[in-house]
Amino acid sequence: MLRRFIPAAVAAISLAGLAFTSPASAATLGWSNHYGCASGDFCVYSTYVISAETKVGIGRGEDWGDGKLSSWNKSPYKGVYSFFNNGRPGEGGEDHVVVTYAYSHDSTPHTMCVHYAEDNDLAIGHELTDSGVAATVLKIDWVPASTCGG
């Protein structure tokens, strides 16, 4: 009986210790880096299933391109299927991303607002292109939630 009690007691004490872990130690575990996308970044991926291996990163606050098809050949972000916004609300409130993309050099550009991933709901920060075809990103704008109707 004692042999069963001791391991159970040790496990219970270990779990109790985790409950009192400080937020600083949680941050050192890298929890803010999701799917290879660092906290504060907006990332694009070459597949619908996002992971560090399929990421093409875009840094926080970077607006690239003019949002027109003339950006097609200039864009380094081709073959994109997924977006992930790991941004955080900042002083200016710019925590959402409006991304403009097109499926070919002569197609109509599409625009999508990507909400930032929340700690309790990472999926809210993940969006897919609205087609089964790879897209090219033409423009990325960081905007406040009110711009996206949020």
Side-chain angles (χ1 to χ4, degrees), residues 14-64:
S14 297
L15 288 174
L18 287 176
F20 297 104
T21 302
S22 71
S25 64
T28 61
L29 295 175
W31 290 348
S32 61
N33 185 345
H34 302 292
Y35 312 110
C37 193
S39 180
D41 283 355
F42 176 76
C43 299
V44 299
Y45 297 84
S46 61
T47 63
Y48 287 135
V49 178
I50 60 178
S51 70
E53 291 77 30
T54 62
K55 181 189 80 160
V56 179
I58 297 174
R60 172 80 174 141
E62 179 180 353
D63 292 340
W64 181 86

Side-chain angles (χ1 to χ4, degrees), residues 34-145:
H34 302 292
Y35 312 110
C37 193
S39 180
D41 283 355
F42 176 76
C43 299
V44 299
Y45 297 84
S46 61
T47 63
Y48 287 135
V49 178
I50 60 178
S51 70
E53 291 77 30
T54 62
K55 181 189 80 160
V56 179
I58 297 174
R60 172 80 174 141
E62 179 180 353
D63 292 340
W64 181 86
D66 61 6
K68 298 180 181 156
L69 290 174
S70 59
S71 299
W72 179 267
N73 291 327
K74 300 173 193 171
S75 175
Y77 307 114
K78 297 183 185 310
V80 173
Y81 287 88
S82 298
F83 309 110
F84 182 67
N85 181 358
N86 202 22
R88 293 289 177 246
E91 288 181 29
E94 295 181 341
D95 56 2
H96 286 54
V97 173
V98 174
V99 60
T100 304
Y101 57 96
Y103 294 109
S104 68
H105 69 281
D106 59 355
S107 67
T108 303
H110 297 258
T111 302
M112 178 184 299
C113 186
V114 184
H115 189 286
Y116 70 91
E118 297 178 13
D119 291 334
N120 60 348
D121 188 2
L122 293 179
I124 199 169
H126 179 221
E127 295 288 346
L128 306 174
T129 59
D130 52 7
S131 170
V133 180
T136 295
V137 175
L138 303 175
K139 186 175 182 180
I140 297 157
D141 283 317
W142 287 88
V143 298

